[in-house]
Amino acid sequence: MKIGVDVGGTNTDAVVMGSAGVAGWKKSPTTKDVQSGVVAAITAAMESAGAQASDIDCVMIGTTQFTNAVIERRSLLPVGVIRLALPATSAIPPLTDWPADLVEAVGCNTVLVGGGYEFDGREISPLDEKAVAQAAREWAKRGLKTAAVTSVFSPMNGEMERRAAEIIRNEAPDMAISLSAELGQFGLLPRENSTIINASLADLAVHVVTAFRKALEQLGLVVPLFISQNDGTLMRVEDVERYPVLTFASGPTNSMRGAAHLAGIGDAMVVDIGGTTSDIGMLRKGFPRQSTHFVDVGGVKTNFRMPDVLAVGLGGGTIVRDDGKRLGPDSVGYELTQRALCFGGDTLTSTDIAVAGGWADVGDASLVKSISAATIKAARTEMIRLIEANVDKMKTEARDLPLLVVGGGSILVDWHVRGVSEVLRPEFSSVANAVGAAIAQVSGEVEKVTSITEANREQVMEDARDEARNNAIKAGAIPESVEVIEVEQVPISYLPGNPSRLRVKAVGNLPI
């Protein structure tokens, strides 16, 4: 058996997965210390499944703790920022276009020094090692605990960043260092932004990982612990302490992966309805379609591997106004069971409409008898419009795919949605996010800029596939289970020599 956990801002969901599927599950409130909420959810899920600690092989956890920290501007460290690029890039310094309050949180400790590469690996200029050492000494004097190092085209060659890290460690041995070559994709500024955010989370990452480890100790679970990352695959818990940003958006990703698993479908549309919003996305081969745009995190453009998800202001707690003609965008959120009419509250919500209309059975139906038929009809019409219009926005092909409806607010949808072949609400859909964490695989990825011609195309593609497979195996995948699921080639017209950006992703199962 294995345990999947999703630690959200409101609820912590846990499922116990056995060979026959979900053996037990539990929704429990998320706690401030994280640890006690995880312990409560796992304990109840194991009791539900009749499982003992000795039955469990591993635990997989998805969390929004790091995303929330950036959005809420809390638990962030001041960061020493160094860019290896001069004489290039001086026109746009680090932290350009960042929100003022986030700049205040991470500080303006930025330095530009000589270094960096062209797209083909040639040096822009040699690394200015003395300037790097001077910056590190200055940061140490200011008491900084973490640093972010970025070099131009470091995904092609990360040697300068690694050398800069050595120099910084020599001057400040206890400083945590984030390297952009290990985090982001091509695109200097978004990759630099990602690296700075990662560095600012260094302390919180240790705190959260320690809480997860202590939770397992308290439960007597001496098993491997994995954390789910943005693309629906797993990373070792040790890596989360170094790369916390790779967990951003793991919540929607887990919900979509869990929905596909529960329904037994690889290609589908998914709508994950929570208390405040509905996240709509598309699955291909059981994995979310990845976004091709820069992703805004807390007001900063980044280039993380993120699922292409559209958030819509419709959830179980969405407030209904104007006799049902206007829904939201505000919501009662986690206060649904106190404020909604069907739970004895005084606020008309979308859940009340579903209960009064007779297609949902929660709370006390007698408390919503006063809602008029016209209000129910108007609100239902607006719900249908919101879902159908936004599902249509996310479609990228003419054929109609099934729509999987999951999440705690899935009770809102009981109609056929235009533009899809059928609407499915799988069993255990309310904890699809925890199921997605439990069934996650490990991945390997390769991204490079290379010149692809008719003569070398086959060899270049095969070499990239082999490298991606090997990276998945290094991450812990069983070799015979590894398969390539994504190949992306994009010509880069603004560089000489007609190069292309090539990205290949492979996934495989863990040996458990």
Side-chain angles (χ1 to χ4, degrees), residues 449-464:
V449 173
T450 184
S451 180
I452 300 177
T453 64
E454 289 303 319
N456 72 2
R457 174 181 297 278
E458 195 171 319
Q459 188 61 51
V460 169
M461 292 294 192
E462 190 53 41
D463 288 347

Side-chain angles (χ1 to χ4, degrees), residues 159-171 177:
E159 188 54 40
M160 276 194 194
E161 287 190 1
R162 289 190 288 272
R163 176 58 186 148
E166 285 179 13
I167 296 168
I168 294 170
R169 285 195 187 97
N170 189 54
E171 301 293 337
I177 302 173

Side-chain angles (χ1 to χ4, degrees), residues 264-433:
I265 294 174
D267 292 350
M269 302 294 297
V270 179
V271 56
D272 176 19
I273 306 178
T276 303
T277 62
S278 296
D279 292 327
I280 302 172
M282 177 181 269
L283 287 162
R284 291 188 180 279
K285 296 184 179 179
F287 283 85
R289 181 179 67 206
Q290 295 294 294
S291 174
T292 57
H293 304 290
F294 293 136
V295 178
D296 186 296
V297 177
V300 177
K301 285 186 173 63
T302 66
N303 59 356
F304 301 127
R305 300 187 303 270
M306 291 283 225
D308 188 7
V309 172
L310 177 63
V312 180
L314 174 64
T318 296
I319 297 173
V320 179
R321 296 186 177 89
D322 297 345
D323 297 324
K325 297 186 182 75
R326 186 158 65 95
L327 303 183
D330 50 342
S331 166
V332 298
Y334 64 87
E335 295 180 318
L336 177 67
T337 54
Q338 286 83 46
R339 294 181 58 188
L341 298 180
C342 64
F343 291 106
D346 58 4
T347 306
L348 178 59
T349 68
S350 54
T351 297
D352 296 319
I353 296 294
V355 173
W359 69 87
D361 183 18
V362 295
D364 185 348
S366 66
L367 297 176
V368 292
K369 284 183 177 178
S370 60
I371 301 174
S372 70
T375 298
I376 295 170
K377 182 179 179 181
R380 182 181 171 93
T381 300
E382 182 62 8
M383 288 181 195
I384 293 172
R385 186 193 69 78
L386 281 170
I387 295 293
E388 289 187 345
N390 289 289
V391 165
D392 192 57
K393 275 185 188 177
M394 293 301 289
K395 284 182 68 175
T396 55
E397 53 190 71
R399 70 181 175 123
D400 290 345
L401 295 170
L403 176 66
L404 307 180
V405 183
V406 298
S410 59
I411 57 173
L412 298 183
V413 180
D414 81 321
W415 61 82
H416 176 72
V417 176
R418 282 184 301 177
V420 302
S421 59
E422 59 182 327
V423 177
L424 302 173
R425 191 183 294 106
E427 191 179 9
F428 308 114
S429 61
S430 66
V431 288
N433 46 8

